[in-house]
Amino acid sequence: MVGFPGFGGFLRERDALAVEDMDRPDCEPGRLNRSYARFHLVNAVVSGWKGTYASHIRPLLTTSESATVLDIGCGGGDIARNLARRAAKDGFRLEITAIDPDERAFQFASSAPPVEGVTFRQALSSQLVSEGLRFDIVISNHVLHHLTPQQLDALLGDTEQLCGRLALHNDLKRSRIAYALFWAAFWPLGFGSYIHSDGLTSIKRSYTTAELQAAAPPSWTVERSGSWHNILVYRVREAPDV
Ligand SMILES: C[S@@+](CC[C@H](N)C(=O)[O-])C[C@H]1O[C@@H](n2cnc3c(N)ncnc32)[C@H](O)[C@@H]1O
């Protein structure tokens, strides 16, 4: 059971040393799989992809050709599957490659019933760069706060190389109110899984808007996404007409 600490300086600074149980190689497989299986509940309630699809992704799609999407750090794969379903409902076809370097996530995601247009791979973004791949849209959800500063630089550099049009890295925004509400609202999902404890650790590790902007290169901008998230956005500049 995770305690709720008193206020004071709590969450004033990012806790980059806090470790999520799911990131431990020896964490309990049953709890881990139940966590992957429940990610979609948390994502549906707080992550805002329905709005982000409507505001950022759908305007780039056409019915005449399919668009390619890369989901980095896909975990259980629900964001990729839902994005494909949402686009299909609107008459668009997406070819989504969803990657995660963790074999356990790959096994879970790829063993779920297949969704047309979604392919899972166990890979790091750097592998795809070395394969010379490129995608119209690159996304991630709840990945940035997991990374060290060096890993963040590498991920953003890889993203710039992999991205043909738009990149959207969605992540939690650290705040006391987010921590308090997550603590109060999501405890039932904690039974038999790491969702509740790791969710709280994730908020401790996550960035404020100013911190995320400072951590990213100037070509990236931070946009608000609902009350609990920021999206780190990169737009590929169109070459000027000559
Ligand atoms: C909290 S899970 C989020 C999963 C999924 N995106 C979601 O929102 O439900 C974070 C995922 O990021 C992956 N990850 C960690 N470091 C990574 C890295 N350097 N590159 C890509 N993925 C990474 C982990 O393996 C884990 O599956």
Side-chain angles (χ1 to χ4, degrees):
M1 192 64 191
V2 180
F4 185 67
F7 279 149
F10 183 58
L11 291 185
R12 193 163 293 154
E13 289 183 11
R14 187 172 175 244
D15 186 353
L17 298 179
V19 179
E20 292 182 43
D21 286 321
M22 278 184 266
D23 285 341
R24 298 181 195 277
D26 61 348
C27 75
E28 212 237 289
R31 287 177 82 90
L32 181 66
N33 282 334
R34 268 176 244 121
S35 307
Y36 290 139
R38 294 175 194 173
F39 273 154
H40 76 100
L41 297 169
V42 178
N43 286 330
V45 176
V46 300
S47 296
W49 281 98
K50 189 175 175 201
T52 303
Y53 165 75
S55 59
H56 289 73
I57 297 178
R58 192 171 55 200
L60 301 183
L61 307 181
T62 63
T63 48
S64 54
E65 54 187 327
S66 58
T68 53
V69 177
L70 173 66
D71 178 10
I72 299 177
C74 64
D78 61 286
I79 301 279
R81 281 192 286 270
N82 284 337
L83 209 52
R85 288 195 192 105
R86 227 166 242 145
K89 224 169 148 186
D90 288 346
F92 303 115
R93 182 166 164 79
L94 298 181
E95 297 290 345
I96 306 183
T97 303
I99 63 170
D100 201 294
D102 189 325
E103 189 191 353
R104 304 166 302 177
F106 169 72
Q107 291 299 345
F108 182 92
S110 53
S111 64
V115 170
E116 199 183 343
V118 180
T119 308
F120 293 101
R121 281 187 62 178
Q122 184 186 349
L124 278 166
S125 50
S126 53
Q127 264 171 267
L128 276 59
V129 171
S130 62
E131 292 171 21
L133 296 179
R134 219 165 152 79
F135 303 83
D136 297 313
I137 301 163
V138 177
I139 66 165
S140 76
N141 189 66
H142 296 169
V143 173
L144 300 186
H145 68 264
H146 283 264
L147 308 177
T148 64
Q150 295 72 22
Q151 288 170 330
L152 179 65
D153 285 347
L155 182 90
L156 299 184
D158 289 347
T159 302
E160 291 184 21
Q161 294 191 63
L162 291 163
C163 173
R165 300 184 73 185
L166 175 72
L168 304 166
H169 290 302
N170 192 47
D171 202 11
L172 294 159
K173 180 168 57 180
R174 190 178 78 251
S175 72
R176 291 175 182 175
I177 185 73
Y179 190 95
L181 289 177
F182 192 91
W183 182 82
F186 285 96
W187 62 266
L189 294 185
F191 289 104
S193 87
Y194 294 117
I195 290 271
H196 192 235
S197 53
D198 276 2
L200 294 172
T201 305
S202 295
I203 295 170
K204 288 189 199 166
R205 286 192 59 95
S206 64
Y207 296 87
T208 61
T209 303
E211 288 169 351
L212 188 55
Q213 190 65 70
S219 47
W220 291 77
T221 51
V222 178
E223 294 183 13
R224 185 174 190 270
S225 169
S227 302
W228 319 114
H229 285 71
N230 279 317
I231 313 182
L232 190 54
V233 181
Y234 177 77
R235 289 185 173 83
V236 175
R237 290 213 191 130
E238 308 250 334
D241 291 334
V242 281

